[in-house]
Amino acid sequence: MLDCPIQFRRSTENFAMGSPRWSANLLCAIFVTPLLFPTCPASARDKKDALQYGIGLVVNVPAAEADVLKAVEEVVQNGVIRGTKEYAKDEFVSGAAASSDSTLFEPWTDGGKIFYKVRQHALDPRNFKDGGDVGTLAVRYVVMKQDETHTVLKVDAIFVEDFRRRAHASDGSVESAEYKDIHDHVDALESMKQQAAEAERERQEATERKLLPASSTPQVEDIPPAMQEKKVGPRGDDVSPASSVEDLKKKVHELQSLAERKVKAQGTALRSAPFQSAASLQTLPAGAEVLIVISTPYWFGVETHDGQHGWISRDELEELP
């Protein structure tokens, strides 16, 4: 059992620039609070004072810079700031907007690509030191390439009152929650790429075996011998009946019904990730056919006829007739 008083310090090991860690542990490695040690007598004020405010979050992400940039752009555009709230019943602060700059932060001069998400007139957002009143809530994201497979991500949050212009530092909750959202988007992008590559490989193999002929009307010579129904004619020669072609057509249709869907409504969004808040890559017309490459309980990862990959809700697609 630890003796009191406890000395708290920032843990930096998990944030080493060369560390390939990608774990939820990073979300709690920013600071340590007395809440982790309930046996130590400490007042609510002591616990609050023990938090280290304004540290922010730095993570070495084991993903290419392009993927991290795409994930950050989607999170910046989603209109919400997680890890804080205005009222007890809220889950996050809504009404945020992407911004090209913010004077609330100290200038950043260490390179990388910088993004901002800002919520004007936020009412006493939680998890900011001595916060209160109405003000501006802002998050800054800095993306810096480390190498071809690793990217450094820095996230900072701040709240500044409108009237007194007092700045209130974050206790790290916003940075952790926003990072988790980015983490989920990167994971979704990686999963979609892997599934798409696997689906393309399987489709090529099937085409080579001529199980899925390119023509919509298979010819008898395209039918694998094992799938042909053989009958002996008057002279003892093999006769392949026309019904075998129809059987193959039926089998091809069955395979297509498993791998293809069509869009129900005009203007359905093809999203960059399996989230309603994800950016729309393009809109699809009603009846547009898509190839399913990933299947989840609520979303399909699909490929369009022009080769675009994205996500569509299951409810927005229907089986081919």
Side-chain angles (χ1 to χ4, degrees), residues 11 13 32 59 63-64 86 90 101 130 134 150-151 174-176 201 209 214 234 239 250 262 271 279 282 302:
S11 174
E13 288 78 9
V32 183
V59 184
E86 294 179 289
D90 292 342
D101 197 5
D130 301 327
V134 177
H150 291 85
T151 305
V174 171
E175 293 91 332
S176 296
R201 184 186 64 79
R209 294 195 302 266
V239 178
K250 182 178 179 181
K262 70 175 184 176
R271 301 192 179 278
Q282 66 181 85
V302 302

Side-chain angles (χ1 to χ4, degrees), residues 44-92:
R45 180 67 180 179
D46 292 336
K47 294 176 182 178
K48 185 175 181 181
D49 290 342
L51 295 176
Q52 296 190 25
Y53 291 88
I55 293 176
L57 176 68
V58 180
V59 184
N60 185 284
V61 184
E65 181 189 32
D67 288 346
V68 178
L69 283 172
K70 187 175 183 62
V72 170
E73 288 172 352
E74 292 168 357
V75 170
V76 169
Q77 296 288 344
N78 65 14
V80 302
I81 297 178
R82 304 184 186 278
T84 184
K85 55 187 179 181
E86 294 179 289
Y87 306 99
K89 62 182 178 63
D90 292 342
E91 296 182 7
F92 46 73

